[in-house]
């Protein structure tokens, strides 16, 4: 109810802008999309900046779907230090 009255959607997560084109198509040209990723990333940096983090094990790239093309990503993931890959 009320969906027709939506005129603005705030993409309030750092990864939602990746869906911007799809969301824009779904909502239509009358709905403005606001990309909040940069502000959210800054705020996370402020909240965690004074915390010390330590790794107990190597970083992990976790995927939520099985795709035969994932193997092609291995070199790029390796460049970012992600040699461990798992599918959830």
């Amino acid at each position: 109810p009320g969906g027709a009255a939506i005129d603005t959607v705030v993409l309030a997560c750092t990864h939602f802008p990746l869906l911007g084109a799809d969301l824009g198509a779904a909502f239509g040209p009358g709905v403005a999309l606001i990309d909040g990723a940069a502000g959210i990333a800054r705020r996370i940096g402020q909240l965690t900046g004074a915390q010390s983090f330590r790794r107990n094990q190597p970083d992990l790239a976790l995927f939520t779907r099985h795709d035969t093309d994932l193997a092609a990503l291995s070199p790029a993931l390796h460049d970012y230090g992600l040699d461990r890959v798992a599918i959830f």
Side-chain angles (χ1 to χ4, degrees), residues 1-79:
I6 295 173
D7 64 355
T8 304
V9 173
V10 177
L11 305 176
C13 194
T14 56
H15 62 281
F16 285 171
L18 297 173
L19 303 173
D22 292 333
L23 291 171
F27 282 111
V31 177
L33 300 179
I34 308 297
D35 181 349
I40 291 168
R42 280 192 305 274
R43 182 65 177 142
I44 290 170
Q46 291 170 345
L47 293 172
T48 61
Q51 296 179 19
S52 64
F53 295 95
R54 74 169 199 268
R55 289 181 169 91
N56 295 326
Q57 56 187 332
D59 290 337
L60 168 71
L62 179 64
F63 293 88
T64 57
R65 72 173 193 186
H66 181 69
D67 189 325
T68 56
D69 294 332
L70 291 180
L73 294 175
S74 291
L77 294 171
H78 176 77
D79 289 346

